[in-house]
Amino acid sequence: MEIDKAIRESDDRRLKTKYNNAIYVIRRALALYSIEEVAFSFNGGKDSIVLLHLLRAGYFLHKGEQSCSNGSVSDFPIRTIYFEISSAFPEINSFTYDTATTYGLQMDIIRLDFKTGLEALLKAKPIRAIFLGVRIGDPTAERKFNSLSISWDWFNATFSTFNHHKVSVLIDVWAFILTCKVQYCSLYDQGYTSIGSVHDTVPNALLCISNSSSGEGKFKPAYLLSDGRLERAGRVKKIHSSACGKLPAVNNGLEIVDSHKRSMLTASIIAVGDEILSGTVEDQLGPSLCKKLHSIGWLVTQVAIVRNDIDSVAEEVDRLKSNNDMIFIYGGVGPVHSDVTLAGAAKAFGVRLAPDEEYEEYLRHLIGNQCTSDRNEMAQLPEGISELLHHEKLPVPMIKCQNVFVLSATNVTELDKEWDCFIELARSNGSLVLMEPYASKCLTTKLSDVEAAQVLSKLSLEFPDLYIGCYRKSRHEPIIIRVEGKDGARIESAVNALYKKSRAGAFSEIL
């Protein structure tokens, strides 16, 4: 069974433990009640998708692998209840019916309110136990038929009878979805984090990306929301002004929405090379790439150096790919035994390396008579997730695996050329959002480190949206203070506040 196999092969021990607990609860329910007496409520949301696949896995294991070996993955006899409402998003309805077809769900479609519809169903069907889904903290979380509590972070797979008997376990919703690679409604890739009706649901403003070139708002996918407690910030009452680009404004129920976070795109950089780690080679691409990303308004969250080892590359890519908008990786790309970058990326996404005929043709023209049996190895790319980005100034296309961009540059000159091509392609196809550039001011001080620290600590608390950092070019030179952000007025305010907090002449601007 593909769900059980994906969990078993995962390195996430916590997810495995919670999955096992959930499966135990489901198998217990199936042992206590016949299939005709069990049902679950499906609404097309991410939480009920996790529940569906947990139930599929639990049913498969309950019946036993031997007895289910002749059945298809769509063999799922548990009754499914779907409350269809006129104000539902079309995408939710389409996804629900497509899912029902894919997995052979026996759908009972109810077009009444929840209480009336469920009471009518119980009178007509011999249902004694039901799996439901609500998030912890929802207004309905303590109602009579609450048998499944969900938060963004944790999935509470709960078996319940209508005598209020409950058994609960927890599973990370997005970890489960991404690990098992199950399909989910496309709205979650458009910034929706909690989907209700079309009248009270908008993309979550905390995932908003401001596009400086067009003035329109784009959104990160739901699984990139950093704080799960703010999932319901997309379930709101609409107000009059604009919240992000041309989208309707909302009151997110937050006293302060940190706008500088909403306007950031994040990237991480991975360098692959034992030579860098041993000190044999100095990494120059990492600092250069940081400057390039910074120049287009992106925030670099991490630069990592890993060994020429498939598992090392895979672990780092897997750790970073869900928490960043894009990952740039370089080194370890080529025909020799230590070139393992693409194999590591493939392992991180759970796919195999497979020959790519188009890429192989480019390599054939590039290498010519020098082609060896290694040629095919070089032309193997992560299957199903690789995209070739063509540019006339590059001898071979650039490789993009979902949000992982593989750089072939080996020095700064090659990186400059590859980056220019990348930016040109991104502008033409809209694959990269160019953000508002950072602005900054630099100051120096005559204060001692201790005196400066006290003033700057207070300033950082007053201006949390700005980066306020300190450094020295050498031990005997004065401290340099860098105030950086995307709002020039805020930077100016911070500098003026710094002058007011210290004695005259203590700080001076570096022009």
Side-chain angles (χ1 to χ4, degrees):
M1 204 278 175
E2 83 282 3
I3 298 298
D4 193 66
K5 183 175 183 291
I7 296 294
R8 302 298 173 197
E9 293 178 351
S10 169
D11 295 327
D12 190 335
R13 295 182 180 178
R14 190 175 189 180
L15 179 62
K16 285 182 179 179
T17 300
K18 300 301 181 181
Y19 168 81
N20 289 335
N21 291 340
I23 292 300
Y24 168 78
V25 168
I26 292 168
R27 294 181 68 176
R28 178 182 172 190
L30 296 177
L32 287 171
Y33 300 98
S34 67
I35 288 296
E36 293 76 17
E37 295 174 322
V38 178
F40 91 104
S41 179
F42 183 66
N43 64 8
K46 66 185 185 307
D47 309 323
S48 61
I49 273 293
V50 175
L51 176 56
L52 168 63
H53 290 291
L54 284 173
L55 288 171
R56 290 180 61 238
Y59 174 73
F60 176 87
L61 295 170
H62 171 69
K63 296 294 290 184
E65 293 185 9
Q66 183 175 4
S67 62
C68 286
S69 60
N70 296 325
S72 68
V73 294
S74 62
D75 180 17
F76 185 73
I78 296 177
R79 184 178 302 280
T80 304
I81 306 167
Y82 178 48
F83 289 85
E84 185 179 274
I85 59 174
S86 59
S87 60
F89 282 85
E91 293 88 344
I92 283 288
N93 279 333
S94 297
F95 176 74
T96 299
Y97 288 115
D98 288 345
T99 301
T101 300
T102 300
Y103 298 108
L105 305 184
Q106 299 180 25
M107 295 272 284
D108 280 306
I109 301 172
I110 299 176
R111 295 181 174 88
L112 302 170
D113 66 89
F114 182 82
K115 182 177 183 297
T116 304
L118 194 53
E119 288 176 347
L121 181 68
L122 294 176
K123 290 178 181 179
K125 308 292 182 182
I127 297 173
R128 297 182 60 198
I130 188 169
F131 293 87
L132 301 170
V134 295
R135 297 167 189 82
I136 294 172
D138 269 8
T140 58
E142 293 304 320
R143 291 183 182 174
K144 178 177 181 180
F145 296 116
N146 170 30
S147 60
L148 181 65
S149 299
I150 299 282
S151 71
W152 183 89
D153 292 318
W154 302 108
F155 185 92
N156 189 354
T158 306
F159 147 65
S160 172
T161 71
F162 293 103
N163 293 322
H164 308 288
H165 175 61
K166 299 179 181 179
V167 182
S168 303
V169 291
L170 300 173
I171 287 182
D172 186 334
V173 171
W174 281 113
F176 181 94
I177 289 174
L178 297 175
T179 296
C180 297
K181 297 180 173 62
V182 298
Q183 294 294 316
Y184 54 87
C185 180
S186 61
L187 291 174
Y188 291 113
D189 286 331
Q190 300 171 32
Y192 292 84
T193 53
S194 177
I195 301 173
S197 77
V198 294
H199 303 304
D200 66 0
T201 307
V202 295
N204 194 321
L206 295 170
L207 293 173
C208 181
I209 304 167
S210 297
N211 189 329
S212 59
S213 60
S214 67
E216 294 183 357
K218 294 186 177 181
F219 291 84
K220 302 178 188 180
Y223 56 79
L224 290 180
L225 184 67
S226 59
D227 189 344
R229 295 170 299 178
L230 302 178
E231 181 190 60
R232 291 185 65 83
R235 299 285 287 275
V236 296
K237 294 181 179 179
K238 297 178 181 178
I239 55 179
H240 298 293
S241 60
S242 178
C244 181
K246 297 180 180 179
L247 292 166
V250 297
N251 175 2
N252 287 311
L254 306 174
E255 291 184 4
I256 297 176
V257 176
D258 207 346
S259 61
H260 80 284
K261 290 183 179 179
R262 294 204 309 267
S263 63
M264 285 185 181
L265 283 169
T266 62
S268 283
I269 300 169
I270 303 174
V272 181
D274 292 339
E275 296 81 5
I276 301 174
L277 290 170
S278 66
T280 306
V281 173
E282 181 180 352
D283 177 30
Q284 296 181 339
L285 271 65
S288 179
L289 191 54
C290 285
K291 291 179 182 178
K292 294 178 186 301
L293 287 163
H294 192 266
S295 71
I296 63 170
W298 280 51
L299 175 69
V300 178
T301 61
Q302 183 173 342
V303 178
I305 304 173
V306 300
R307 298 177 53 224
N308 293 97
D309 173 76
I310 292 176
D311 289 337
S312 297
V313 174
E315 288 172 7
E316 198 65 24
V317 172
D318 184 58
R319 187 173 68 85
L320 297 174
K321 63 184 173 64
S322 296
N323 298 319
N324 291 270
D325 296 285
M326 188 168 285
I327 298 170
F328 292 86
I329 187 168
Y330 57 87
V333 180
V336 300
H337 69 283
S338 59
D339 292 325
V340 297
T341 295
L342 289 171
K347 185 171 183 179
F349 284 101
V351 300
R352 65 171 188 149
L353 283 178
D356 186 284
E357 294 181 0
E358 182 184 4
Y359 196 63
E360 186 175 5
E361 186 65 24
Y362 276 97
L363 292 176
R364 183 180 295 111
H365 286 294
L366 178 66
I367 299 174
N369 295 330
Q370 301 177 31
C371 287
T372 67
S373 59
D374 290 328
R375 180 193 63 192
N376 289 333
E377 295 296 323
M378 290 178 64
Q380 291 194 74
L381 304 179
E383 187 177 35
I385 63 170
S386 296
E387 178 184 357
L388 297 180
L389 305 179
H390 307 269
H391 196 285
E392 59 183 8
K393 294 182 181 179
L394 297 176
V396 294
M398 293 179 280
I399 302 169
K400 184 172 179 288
C401 303
Q402 292 192 8
N403 65 335
V404 177
F405 190 85
V406 182
L407 298 170
S408 60
T410 59
N411 56 56
V412 173
T413 301
E414 291 176 356
L415 177 63
D416 290 342
K417 181 179 180 180
E418 196 168 4
W419 178 261
D420 290 342
C421 294
F422 171 68
I423 292 297
E424 188 176 328
L425 288 170
R427 281 176 172 158
S428 63
N429 62 24
S431 61
L432 178 71
V433 178
L434 304 181
M435 305 296 293
E436 289 288 344
Y438 286 97
S440 64
K441 283 197 172 185
C442 290
L443 304 95
T444 186
T445 182
K446 298 177 181 178
L447 300 178
S448 68
D449 290 11
V450 174
E451 291 174 319
Q454 294 175 349
V455 178
L456 293 173
S457 295
K458 294 178 181 178
L459 188 69
S460 296
L461 293 174
E462 188 176 341
F463 294 88
D465 53 316
L466 300 179
Y467 167 77
I468 302 174
C470 306
Y471 64 95
R472 276 193 175 92
K473 292 183 177 180
S474 70
R475 179 181 294 274
H476 302 291
E477 292 189 55
I479 300 173
I480 296 175
I481 300 96
R482 185 177 180 86
V483 183
E484 185 175 83
K486 294 192 175 184
D487 187 335
R490 287 286 289 170
I491 294 173
E492 194 67 39
S493 296
V495 171
N496 290 334
L498 182 62
Y499 291 151
K500 292 178 181 178
K501 292 178 185 296
S502 54
R503 64 175 183 266
F507 290 90
S508 57
E509 187 174 341
I510 302 174
L511 301 176

